């Protein structure tokens, strides 16, 4: 049994809810990372990897970075294709009774960044979703930093090749696929995606309305005809 301090117990409880991201855990004037997160981050960010005793000869890898420089390090993590969660102290340490309360206040992924200082200048930062419907492939690309949204659809015997060509052209920062997509590995390979560049979702999780209705509600319109995508069901 690991000999965990109350702080590390708190960290592990929060980390269990964010297993697929690098968790930056605020401790005073630093953000600390532990375990595998620390190993990965130390290599990418050129941080010193240390460790702390867990008991019975076991040690927990850890590394840290100053809170005032976090944006610079986040830029490098995202550019390397990783997701990051910012876990902040949400109460005054001087007024806290016991352990300071901490919560994840934001999760950053390569395709959902909107802050200019975290983005590459003069380059789009596309979040792209791809869906297979029968013999068609639908593609939607959004640049969250500019509000640009594009959709298209590929059908026929050359649909797969045309889809791959479009992905190569767009070079998305993040690729969003349905859970269980059989060609996920091939699609990720087209853009050289790492784990952080590839996200999956369940259609049942988000869509309480049909895709058409959801998009019309978001755009505040009664029809998609004016956008030229009313006949692109896979793209929508």
């Amino acid at each position: 049994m690991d000999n965990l301090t109350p702080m590390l117990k708190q960290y592990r409880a929060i980390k269990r809810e964010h297993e697929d991201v690098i968790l930056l855990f605020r401790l005073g004037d630093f953000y600390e990372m532990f375990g595998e997160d620390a190993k990965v981050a130390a290599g990418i960010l050129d941080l010193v990897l240390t460790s702390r005793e867990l008991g019975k000869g076991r040690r927990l890898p850890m590394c840290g970075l100053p809170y005032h420089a976090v944006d610079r390090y986040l830029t490098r993590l995202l550019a390397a294709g990783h997701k990051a969660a910012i876990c902040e102290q949400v109460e005054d340490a001087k007024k806290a009774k016991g352990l300071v309360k901490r919560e994840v206040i934001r999760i950053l992924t390569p395709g959902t960044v909107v802050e200019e200082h975290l983005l590459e200048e003069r380059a789009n930062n596309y979040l792209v979703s791809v869906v297979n419907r029968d013999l068609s492939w639908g593609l939607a690309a959004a640049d969250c930093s500019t509000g640009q949204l594009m959709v298209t659809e590929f059908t026929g015997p050359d649909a797969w090749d045309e889809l791959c060509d479009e992905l190569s052209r767009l070079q998305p920062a993040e690729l969003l696929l349905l859970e269980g997509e059989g060609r996920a590995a091939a699609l990720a390979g087209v853009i050289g995606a790492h784990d952080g560049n590839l996200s999956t979702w369940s259609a049942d999780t988000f869509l309480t309305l049909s895709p058409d209705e959801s998009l019309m509600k978001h755009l505040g319109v009664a029809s998609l005809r004016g956008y030229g995508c009313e006949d692109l069901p896979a793209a929508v």
Side-chain angles (χ1 to χ4, degrees):
M1 185 70 176
D2 292 338
N3 183 23
L4 299 180
T5 64
M7 182 274 293
L8 282 177
K9 290 180 180 178
Q10 182 188 53
Y11 167 82
R12 286 199 170 177
I14 296 172
K15 179 60 181 175
R16 278 195 294 269
E17 298 178 357
H18 302 88
E19 294 182 349
D20 63 337
V21 303
I22 293 178
L23 182 63
L24 281 71
F25 190 77
R26 183 71 177 268
L27 284 176
D29 291 336
F30 287 83
Y31 286 105
E32 300 287 350
M33 289 152 282
F34 300 96
E36 289 301 315
D37 285 358
K39 293 179 182 179
V40 172
I44 295 171
L45 305 177
D46 298 321
L47 299 173
V48 176
L49 185 66
T50 60
S51 64
R52 64 187 300 163
E53 180 66 39
L54 287 179
K56 296 184 179 180
R58 297 185 61 193
R59 302 192 68 85
L60 177 67
M62 60 182 294
C63 65
L65 56 91
Y67 81 95
H68 57 78
V70 67
D71 285 348
R72 175 160 52 91
Y73 289 103
L74 283 173
T75 300
R76 293 168 65 182
L77 278 178
L78 295 170
H82 291 279
K83 303 171 186 175
I86 307 298
C87 182
E88 286 286 1
Q89 297 175 176
V90 293
E91 65 176 334
D92 190 334
K94 295 179 180 179
K95 298 179 180 179
K97 295 181 179 179
L99 191 63
V100 176
K101 185 178 180 181
R102 294 178 175 86
E103 295 177 356
V104 170
I105 62 167
R106 188 174 179 198
I107 297 176
L108 297 97
T109 71
T112 59
V113 180
V114 295
E115 293 87 349
E116 291 185 4
H117 59 275
L118 296 178
L119 294 167
E120 183 180 345
E121 292 186 16
R122 301 184 183 87
N124 287 105
N125 196 67
Y126 288 121
L127 170 64
V128 171
S129 179
V130 171
V131 175
N132 181 224
R133 286 288 183 270
D134 299 322
L135 300 178
S136 298
W137 286 92
L139 181 150
D143 187 332
C144 297
S145 65
T146 64
Q148 181 185 20
L149 174 63
M150 303 178 293
V151 297
T152 189
E153 191 169 307
F154 306 99
T155 59
D158 297 324
W160 172 256
D161 291 336
E162 292 172 353
L163 171 67
C164 291
D165 288 344
E166 184 65 6
L167 284 173
S168 296
R169 185 185 71 82
L170 292 172
Q171 281 300 300
E174 186 174 351
L175 186 60
L176 186 60
L177 303 174
L178 278 169
E179 289 179 351
E181 171 53 58
R183 296 198 185 184
L187 289 166
V190 172
I191 62 170
H194 303 287
D195 289 344
N197 299 101
L198 186 62
S199 300
T200 59
W201 61 284
S202 168
D204 295 335
T205 302
F206 300 105
L207 296 180
T208 55
L209 301 173
S210 71
D212 300 65
E213 291 172 327
S214 295
L215 188 55
M216 287 188 290
K217 182 178 180 180
H218 175 73
L219 295 172
V221 297
S223 170
L224 297 177
R225 188 171 301 279
Y227 295 90
C229 58
E230 71 277 8
D231 295 323
L232 303 176
V236 174

